[in-house]
Amino acid sequence: AGVTFVSGSPSREASLEQANVIKARAVMVLSKEPGDPTTDNQTLGAVVTVRALAPEVYMVAECASGENLRLIRNAGANEVVGVATLAAELLVQGIQDPGVNGAISELLSNTTGHQLYIHPVTSHKGTFAEVVEKLGPGRYSAIGLIDKTGRRYFVPTPATIVEPGHQLMLVGEVRPDPV
């Protein structure tokens, strides 16, 4: 898997075709000026154009203004990261729980320590405790479950039913094998 960088306008079809967005597994749309809410207009244009060219691609977009999160999601981004909202939430968490931001940084890093993984359940059907045990005792901390509708359940009971189509929220040092 590689990353393709192409200089050009992300809302122009020619630039996206040059980047081979049609064959991409995933697309990341970054704000041109993350601190400027008007930059969301460019992000919106890019999201709409990517979705028109590649209807099935998984797309994550950056959003400068919390007011535009739903708009960008409705335009076709699978996930939207609201940088201003996220920054405010991290600042509040840092005051409420000193040290939490270091833990969050490690979980989001792809280079050091433990990472947070959203791991699909492809074949296992059973309880939450059974699927976690199947991953390997002590290898992962299971912090939650995402059901088929996308609803998140943090710290589900061990007896919670898990089936194909669900996703596990795990913390571990390496990406887990399929379950």
Side-chain angles (χ1 to χ4, degrees):
V3 176
T4 302
F5 175 83
V6 174
S7 182
S9 172
S11 59
R12 298 188 64 104
E13 287 186 13
S15 297
L16 293 171
E17 287 168 350
Q18 186 180 3
N20 206 11
V21 72
I22 295 166
K23 292 186 180 178
R25 185 179 64 80
V27 171
M28 184 179 353
V29 179
L30 299 174
S31 294
K32 186 172 184 176
E33 299 291 333
D36 178 4
T38 64
T39 196
D40 288 343
N41 295 330
Q42 292 172 321
T43 300
L44 182 62
V47 167
V48 168
T49 308
V50 167
R51 188 55 66 217
L53 290 173
E56 301 300 318
V57 74
Y58 194 84
M59 185 175 11
V60 179
E62 182 178 26
C63 179
S65 172
E67 294 176 1
N68 296 323
L69 290 167
R70 187 179 305 229
L71 180 66
I72 293 172
R73 188 173 298 111
N74 289 343
N78 298 91
E79 293 188 45
V80 182
V81 177
V83 291
T85 305
L86 184 59
E89 291 167 350
L90 290 171
L91 288 166
V92 170
Q93 275 307 127
I95 294 294
Q96 291 178 337
D97 296 293
V100 74
N101 282 301
I104 291 170
S105 290
E106 181 176 328
L107 290 174
L108 298 178
S109 164
N110 286 315
T111 57
T112 60
H114 288 74
Q115 279 76 51
L116 177 62
Y117 298 104
I118 304 298
H119 191 64
V121 177
T122 57
S123 62
H124 181 82
K125 185 169 182 163
T127 67
F128 186 70
E130 291 169 346
V131 73
V132 171
E133 183 68 23
K134 188 173 181 178
L135 288 167
R139 290 187 65 204
Y140 299 95
S141 292
I143 62 170
L145 177 72
I146 303 172
D147 70 14
K148 294 175 184 177
T149 68
R151 184 171 175 198
R152 290 177 291 278
Y153 299 88
F154 286 93
V155 196
T157 67
T160 300
I161 298 300
V162 177
E163 58 188 35
H166 288 169
Q167 298 172 303
L168 300 173
M169 292 183 273
L170 305 169
V171 175
E173 290 186 43
V174 296
R175 188 169 295 284
D177 293 328
V179 291

